[in-house]
Amino acid sequence: MKNLWNDAEAAAYSGDLGLRVYSSRLLGRDPSLVLHGGGNTSVKVRSRNILGEEEDLLYVKGSGWDLETIEEAGFSPVRLDHLIALARLPALSDMEMVNELRTHMTRASAPTPSVEAILHATIPHKYVDHTHADAVISITNTDGGEERAREIFGADCVIIPYIMPGFDLARLCAERFAADAHDGTIGMVLLNHGIFSFGASARESYDRMIALVGRAEDYLRRHAAWELPPAAPQAAGPGTQRITLAGLRQAASRVAGFPLLLCAGQDDRHLAFARRPDLEQIAAQGPATPDHVIRTKRIPMIGRNIEQYVSDYKEYFEKNAPRARDPKQMLDPAPRVILDPELGVCALGRSARDAAIVADIYDHTIDVILRAEALGGYRALPAGDIFDVEYWDLEQAKLKKAGNPPVFAGEIALVTGAASGIGRACAEALLARGAAVVGLDIAEGIDGTFDHPGWFGVRCDLTQEAAVTAAIESAVRRFGGLDMLVLNAGVFPPGLRIAQLDGESWRRTHAINLDANLALLREAHPLLCLAPRGGRVAVVGSRNVPAPGPGAAAYSVSKAALTQLARVAALEWAGDGIRINMVHPDAVFDTGIWSPEILEARARHYGLTVEQYRSRNLLKVEVESRDVAALVAELCGPLFAKVTGAQIPIDGGNERAV
Ligand code: ZN
C-alpha cells in the first residue's frame, strides 16, 4: 500500500477543510481503496456563526461527490452536537435521518450529507477516513473472516459485525467504540463492508488508513493470497461474436424495459475467470461490499439464460420484499454483469459511463474473490442483507427523483466519416442525446475525436469490406450492438464535365459514396434487426439528387444511386422494424470536402461570386454541419418513429427542388 502523501502537494491546500480535501483526493486516487463514489471522509471544525457564536461543525462528504475529485464545496457542514444527540435515539428512519441532516446544515446550498454522517460524528477524532479497501474485504469476506480481522487489527481497531449502513450502523459503532476503544485505537473494521481510520490531523488519519490497509495486504501476502498469478493465456472465443452479443444485449434490454449497452471484457484475465470450473460457486454468492449492488446487481448472470436470471431475480425480490417496512417497487430484473466462457466478462449499463463503472467494480470484485479464495474461500453476505441495500428507501427515493434519461440512452450509433464536417457534427449530436457513438473515418486520430466515454473511433478505409466488417465487430464488442447507422462519408471530386470525366475518377467516387454503403448496410442489417427499439438508418444524400449541377456527374450520380439504394432498403427492411430516411443538404461549407478551390470552382460554374454562392437559397441562410446533424439525430428519434423512406432537403430552400 503506497502512501501518496506529499508535503509539497499538501502545501497547496490550507486550513482544516483544505487538508481534508487533499487527503480525501489521495484516497480517491487509489481504486483499491475506493471506487466510483464509494467511501467517505469528514473533519470536525469549530467556527463562528453569523451571530458571532462558536459552534462545532462536522464537514462530511456530500452525496454525489467522488473522493478523487472532491472540492471544499463537496463537504456539507452539519452541526456536530445535533448529530451526536441523534446517535442516542433508539431509532431513526432513513427519511427522518436525511431530514435531520439537511435541516441542520449551516450552508443551504451544500449537498445532502453522507448517510454515514452520524457515524463520523460519534467518533471523537478530528479527521475520519472511510474506505472499502479491497484488501480488507478480501479478508473479512471469508470463512473465519471475523477471527482474521481480530488477529490483524484487534489490538488497535474496534471490530464491528456487519450491519446495514445508515442509522443502525452509526448507533452500533458508537456503542462499540464507547465500550472497546482505548487510547491506542486508530481505526474501526466493518466486517464485509470496509474500514475507518481516524486521527488528529489529515496526515495522521490518512497515514493510519494506509498502514491499516497495508497490514491487511501483508497478511494476504503471508498467506500467499496477495499476488494473484497472471491469468494463463486463453484461446479467444469465436472470431465472429457480433450477432451473439447483439442478441444477448437485445434480450437483456427487453427484460430491463429499456436499451442497455453491453461491453465485453475479453482479456486473458476475464476469460480465465469466466471459464473457471468453480465459477458458479464463487461468483454467484454476492458483491464484495454491499453498496456495489446498486451498480452490479447482487450476482452476475452466468451463461446466457436470461429467462432463468429474471425468474431468480423475481424470486429474490418476492422473498425479501415482505420484510421491508414500506412496500417496494421491483427494479428492472436485467443482469449488469454477464459471465460467459466465450464472451468473457460483460458489463451492462444505461450509458457507456455506467457500463464502465460496472466493469471497474467487477474487476475489483474478481480480485477480492480470488484473494478470498486463496485465503480459504470467498463468503459474501446473505442475499437478505444485499436486498436491504439494493432496496434501501434512500436508493428508491433517488430512483423516483431521477429525471428522464436522454433520448438515446443505452443505444449505439455508427457514423461514417466522423472525423470532420457533417459526420463529426452527427457524432456530437448523437453523443449529446445520450447515444454511444462509433465513428469510422480514414483520418488519423479518429480515436481521439471526442474525449467522451461513449465515443469509440475506429480508423477504417470504407472501401475495404474486410476493414468495415472488422470495425463493426470491434464496435459490437465495445458497446453490444447497433441501433442507428448514419451513412455520411463521401467525396466530392473536382468538377469535371462529362466530356472530360475519366473512368478512374468516376469509379473512385462511386467506391466511397455508393459501394461502401452497400457493404455497410448489408453488414449492419442483422444487427439493426436486433436493436431493442428497432433499427434506424439516416443517409446523408445531397441537393444534387433532386437538382443536379453541371460538372458534378460522378458525385450527383453516386448520391442519386445511394438514395435509390436507401429507398429499396426502406422497402425491404420495414418488416424488420428498421426505418431509413434521407437528408439532402446543400451548401454546407464547414465540411472537409469544401476546400477553397472547390468552392471557387463551383461558384464559377454558376457564374457567382463565392459570397453569392454561399447563401444562394430561398431563405438566404447559411446551412451548417450542426443543422444537418440535428436533423439526422431527430430522424433517428421518436419524432420520426412512424416515418421511413422520407427525403428531407436541408438547404435553406432551393427553387429547383421545392
Ligand atoms: Zn461504507
Side-chain angles (χ1 to χ4, degrees):
M1 184 92 278
K2 201 158 175 255
N3 190 316
L4 303 174
W5 188 281
N6 176 316
D7 282 329
E9 255 181 34
Y13 297 83
S14 61
D16 291 341
L17 188 55
L19 286 164
R20 176 67 287 174
V21 168
Y22 174 59
S23 70
S24 301
R25 289 184 181 180
L26 293 185
L27 296 174
R29 233 190 262 172
D30 186 339
S32 76
L33 290 175
V34 296
L35 270 178
H36 302 297
N40 41 61
T41 56
S42 68
V43 59
K44 299 176 183 79
V45 176
R46 172 156 295 181
S47 69
R48 212 169 274 283
N49 67 20
I50 203 162
L51 302 175
E53 301 156 347
E54 291 221 313
E55 57 185 1
D56 290 319
L57 300 175
L58 176 80
Y59 278 87
V60 63
K61 193 194 98 159
S63 80
W65 286 79
D66 228 300
L67 289 182
E68 191 178 1
T69 51
I70 199 160
E71 296 164 16
E72 291 195 4
F75 287 92
S76 311
V78 197
R79 292 193 177 93
L80 185 62
D81 293 349
H82 188 68
L83 293 173
I84 291 170
L86 288 175
R88 293 191 208 105
L89 286 174
L92 189 66
S93 77
D94 292 328
M95 294 308 172
E96 286 168 338
M97 179 175 77
V98 171
N99 184 61
E100 292 305 307
L101 297 179
R102 285 203 59 83
T103 53
H104 289 77
M105 301 193 308
T106 58
R107 194 176 74 239
S109 62
T112 299
S114 160
V115 294
E116 324 242 48
I118 298 175
L119 199 171
H120 281 258
T122 62
I123 295 173
H125 290 264
K126 189 173 175 73
Y127 284 85
V128 178
D129 294 23
H130 169 48
T131 71
H132 299 159
D134 287 357
V136 174
I137 50 184
S138 298
I139 290 166
T140 67
N141 290 19
T142 55
D143 267 341
E146 180 169 357
E147 290 71 53
R148 294 178 203 279
R150 287 193 189 284
E151 181 191 336
I152 304 164
F153 303 109
D156 33 30
C157 290
V158 177
I159 309 287
I160 308 287
Y162 178 77
I163 184 171
M164 183 168 152
F167 180 72
D168 292 345
L169 174 64
R171 254 197 67 171
L172 179 67
C173 289
E175 279 169 25
R176 290 290 171 106
F177 192 91
D180 300 347
H182 49 79
D183 288 349
T185 299
I186 58 169
M188 195 154 62
V189 174
L190 277 57
L191 300 177
N192 303 88
H193 174 161
I195 184 164
F196 280 78
S197 65
F198 18 82
S201 67
R203 173 88 196 249
E204 185 174 59
S205 187
Y206 174 77
D207 284 350
R208 286 173 173 176
M209 174 63 72
I210 300 306
L212 288 170
V213 176
R215 226 189 269 182
E217 290 185 0
D218 289 342
Y219 179 90
L220 288 163
R221 213 171 269 123
R222 281 202 306 279
H223 291 77
W226 176 249
E227 303 293 348
L228 295 167
Q234 299 290 311
T240 300
Q241 297 187 344
R242 54 190 186 275
I243 304 300
T244 308
L245 285 166
L248 195 57
R249 166 183 175 252
Q250 184 196 40
S253 300
R254 178 173 45 76
V255 299
F258 45 79
L260 285 164
L261 302 180
L262 183 156
C263 308
Q266 302 190 332
D267 60 24
D268 285 340
R269 192 169 154 276
H270 290 130
L271 289 172
F273 186 75
R275 291 171 181 176
R276 283 178 67 108
D278 58 353
L279 189 64
E280 195 77 45
Q281 150 64 21
I282 61 175
Q285 289 191 30
T289 184
D291 72 338
H292 290 173
V293 69
I294 306 303
R295 296 288 186 177
T296 61
K297 296 254 182 218
R298 189 178 74 85
I299 52 174
M301 177 167 100
I302 297 175
R304 302 179 196 173
N305 190 341
I306 291 259
E307 303 311 323
Q308 184 62 48
Y309 187 88
V310 169
S311 90
D312 290 350
Y313 187 85
K314 284 183 178 155
E315 196 182 304
Y316 153 79
F317 178 79
E318 279 153 18
K319 187 168 162 210
N320 289 290
R323 289 189 297 109
R325 273 187 292 258
D326 312 300
K328 300 294 181 193
Q329 180 192 342
M330 194 181 88
L331 302 168
D332 79 80
R336 293 300 189 275
V337 178
I338 298 176
L339 305 175
D340 181 275
E342 285 183 349
L343 307 177
V345 176
C346 303
L348 292 86
R350 213 166 178 183
S351 66
R353 186 177 169 270
D354 283 354
I357 289 174
V358 171
D360 272 356
I361 289 178
Y362 208 74
D363 274 344
H364 284 266
T365 303
I366 290 175
D367 285 350
V368 169
I369 290 176
L370 295 181
R371 289 189 174 125
E373 278 295 300
L375 205 55
Y378 179 67
R379 293 290 171 272
L381 287 166
D385 287 321
I386 304 302
F387 179 90
D388 292 343
V389 174
E390 187 174 4
Y391 283 89
W392 198 355
D393 285 346
L394 303 177
E395 293 297 339
Q396 294 253 308
K398 256 191 240 168
L399 292 176
K400 280 178 198 141
K401 255 197 286 179
N404 287 333
V407 62
F408 295 140
E411 296 197 292
I412 304 123
L414 187 151
V415 180
T416 65
S420 61
I422 293 174
R424 185 194 161 108
C426 287
E428 193 168 8
L430 291 160
L431 283 169
R433 288 162 173 80
V437 178
V438 180
L440 306 191
D441 205 292
I442 200 161
E444 259 180 80
I446 180 72
D447 54 331
T449 299
F450 296 96
D451 179 16
H452 187 293
W455 171 250
F456 182 50
V458 185
R459 194 162 177 232
C460 172
D461 178 351
L462 295 173
T463 63
Q464 303 299 312
E465 288 197 9
V468 170
T469 307
I472 293 177
E473 178 76 22
S474 65
V476 175
R477 289 184 200 218
R478 178 66 167 251
F479 292 133
L482 185 61
D483 302 277
M484 295 169 268
L485 175 63
V486 179
L487 298 178
N488 160 74
V491 288
F492 191 93
L496 280 175
R497 297 214 170 223
I498 292 167
Q500 285 82 43
L501 182 54
D502 61 288
E504 179 48 34
S505 150
W506 171 267
R507 278 188 293 274
R508 192 176 146 61
T509 305
H510 280 67
I512 296 171
N513 292 7
L514 180 62
D515 302 353
N517 289 316
L518 171 65
L520 279 156
L521 284 166
R522 190 182 59 227
E523 293 302 317
H525 176 250
L527 297 168
L528 294 170
C529 286
L530 294 168
R533 286 183 177 150
R536 283 137 283 162
V537 182
V539 177
V540 179
S542 166
R543 186 270 309 163
N544 282 38
V545 174
Y555 179 80
S556 303
V557 171
S558 68
K559 287 289 188 182
L562 173 62
T563 302
Q564 199 72 339
L565 178 67
R567 294 174 71 199
V568 175
L571 293 168
E572 289 184 358
W573 296 355
D576 301 320
I578 302 170
R579 303 191 286 106
I580 296 140
N581 294 297
M582 288 142 269
V583 295
H584 290 316
D586 186 28
V588 182
F589 297 111
D590 58 340
T591 71
I593 61 175
W594 285 102
S595 65
E597 299 74 48
I598 291 179
L599 198 51
E600 185 84 33
R602 295 313 301 160
R604 219 173 26 242
H605 270 293
Y606 288 95
L608 299 172
T609 66
V610 168
E611 279 320 299
Q612 288 167 327
Y613 185 68
R614 273 178 182 276
S615 59
R616 70 188 203 296
N617 56 52
L618 294 171
L619 295 172
K620 302 277 178 246
V621 290
E622 195 170 332
V623 181
E624 293 180 44
S625 288
R626 59 181 176 172
D627 301 319
V628 181
L631 179 59
V632 163
E634 291 307 319
L635 277 176
C636 294
L639 196 60
F640 287 83
K642 298 175 183 177
V643 177
T644 193
Q647 299 181 45
I648 304 180
I650 172 150
D651 56 7
N654 184 296
E655 59 189 9
R656 292 170 55 216
V658 290

